[in-house]
Amino acid sequence: MSAARRQVAVVVGATSKWQADGRNTKLAHGKVLDDSSLPVGIRWGVGGAIAQKFAKERFFVVLTTRQAGNASALQKAIVEQGGESMIVELDLVSPESISRAFATIRTQAGDPDVLVYNAGYLEGRDLPPEKELLEHVPVDIFETAQHIASRGPFLVAQEVLPAMRQRGAGSFLISNNQFSLRGRKRLTGQSLYYPRVMMRTLAQVLTEEYSEHGVHVANVVIDGTIDSPGTRALPRAQQHPEVVMNPVKIAEAFYYLHTQDKSCWTHELQLTPFATKPSF
């Protein structure tokens, strides 16, 4: 009797730009923060919490990040919790990097049972107030946003969906935000978010194409500020902790989606803190 095939979860964007040494954290606070007193579940935002949740559920978890060092502490935490994981470097701006990364994943871990696309970007946050209008946005900022929010998930889907279709099972889950619901003007201090509308559109298209083949596709709208070292230190989070979202609980929602019965799949899930009005 052959051994049972191990389940594999891939988290694209397993670390957070709001982790203690993340790019957003350093931009907002001007320094690396000490996260040693924070719960391990929130230290790497949503990606880290999702990775830890699936590892606790006995999945072999692949952490992808642009630089392996970004995820080394997260991998150590997973191992200390009794889980198994590996780190694979992946740069979503480069099709060659995506192809190499998934070749490595297939060889060393196997075809994923679940893929969580959690990639984010900060481009646009540092533009001054006088450059809010589109005419002032450098094209390289738009291109980066498009790479992460549109082309990236398209290329990643091409890497993992064929095996899921052939197996007749699998989940392709997209971590998105409230700016994906409709086009909105970029305000000072915000990233160039409107390309995320295309990310939501891709989830809708893939739902139509792959559901009948047994692949569960869902767009998760995370409608609020996610708890992490960098966001927890922001004045708004300090003054109104009730509006901050617990990434451990967000991760439970992703696991719930993956384990749903095929007779009643959710294809879009919006998560909003109780103290704020849902975005539309």
Side-chain angles (χ1 to χ4, degrees):
M1 190 171 179
S2 60
R5 174 183 170 275
R6 71 176 175 182
Q7 296 188 91
V8 177
V10 176
V11 183
V12 175
T15 55
S16 170
K17 291 176 176 58
W18 286 108
Q19 64 190 49
D21 59 350
R23 293 169 65 200
N24 278 355
T25 297
K26 289 187 281 190
L27 179 65
H29 302 290
K31 61 180 180 179
V32 173
L33 302 180
D34 179 8
D35 66 358
S36 59
S37 64
L38 300 183
V40 70
I42 77 159
R43 293 182 190 175
W44 301 277
V46 169
I50 291 171
Q52 291 176 76
K53 171 60 178 175
F54 276 88
K56 287 176 182 176
E57 298 294 340
R58 313 316 301 167
F59 282 72
F60 182 88
V61 178
V62 180
L63 313 171
T64 84
T65 179
R66 285 196 303 167
Q67 298 179 336
N70 293 339
S72 58
L74 172 58
Q75 183 187 37
K76 182 173 182 288
I78 288 173
V79 171
E80 289 175 347
Q81 294 167 30
E84 295 182 285
S85 76
M86 64 181 287
I87 301 172
V88 176
E89 291 188 345
L90 187 158
D91 183 355
L92 289 164
V93 172
S94 166
E96 295 76 22
S97 174
I98 294 172
S99 180
R100 284 195 305 270
F102 280 95
T104 299
I105 291 168
R106 283 188 289 268
T107 300
Q108 298 187 22
D111 289 310
D113 296 273
V114 55
L115 184 293
V116 178
Y117 190 91
N118 182 58
Y121 53 92
L122 60 73
E123 278 68 20
R125 284 183 181 271
D126 56 353
L127 291 177
E130 64 271 17
K131 292 191 175 182
E132 273 193 353
L133 296 179
L134 177 144
E135 64 194 72
H136 300 300
V137 177
V139 69
D140 62 310
I141 288 179
F142 176 75
E143 288 177 344
T144 298
Q146 284 283 64
H147 284 314
I148 305 303
S150 181
R151 192 178 73 162
F154 175 88
L155 293 173
V156 168
Q158 286 190 324
E159 292 287 344
V160 302
L161 289 179
M164 290 183 181
R165 176 181 56 78
Q166 292 166 14
R167 197 167 62 242
S171 298
F172 189 90
L173 309 177
I174 292 177
S175 171
N176 216 331
N177 64 23
Q178 65 271 34
F179 297 96
S180 68
L181 296 173
R182 67 174 180 85
R184 301 174 193 269
K185 175 186 175 182
R186 187 199 69 83
L187 301 177
T188 299
Q190 292 180 347
S191 301
L192 190 69
Y193 280 131
Y194 49 78
R196 280 187 170 269
V197 173
M198 282 296 295
M199 187 186 290
R200 183 187 187 215
T201 300
L202 178 65
Q204 293 168 341
V205 171
L206 295 180
T207 293
E208 288 197 11
E209 291 189 0
Y210 285 88
S211 284
E212 65 185 80
H213 299 291
V215 182
H216 186 186
V217 181
N219 181 60
V220 181
V221 180
I222 301 174
D223 183 15
T225 300
I226 301 162
D227 199 4
S228 60
T231 55
R232 180 174 284 207
L234 293 172
R236 182 168 183 261
Q238 295 278 313
Q239 295 162 13
H240 300 284
E242 70 277 7
V243 305
V244 179
M245 303 177 72
N246 185 343
V248 174
K249 298 305 179 182
I250 296 173
E252 290 177 1
F254 276 84
Y255 185 72
Y256 160 72
L257 288 173
H258 176 63
T259 56
Q260 279 186 323
D261 186 83
K262 287 184 177 182
S263 68
C264 50
W265 275 347
T266 298
H267 294 293
E268 182 157 273
L269 182 66
Q270 183 165 344
L271 304 172
T272 310
F274 78 95
T276 62
K277 295 179 180 179
S279 299
F280 297 101

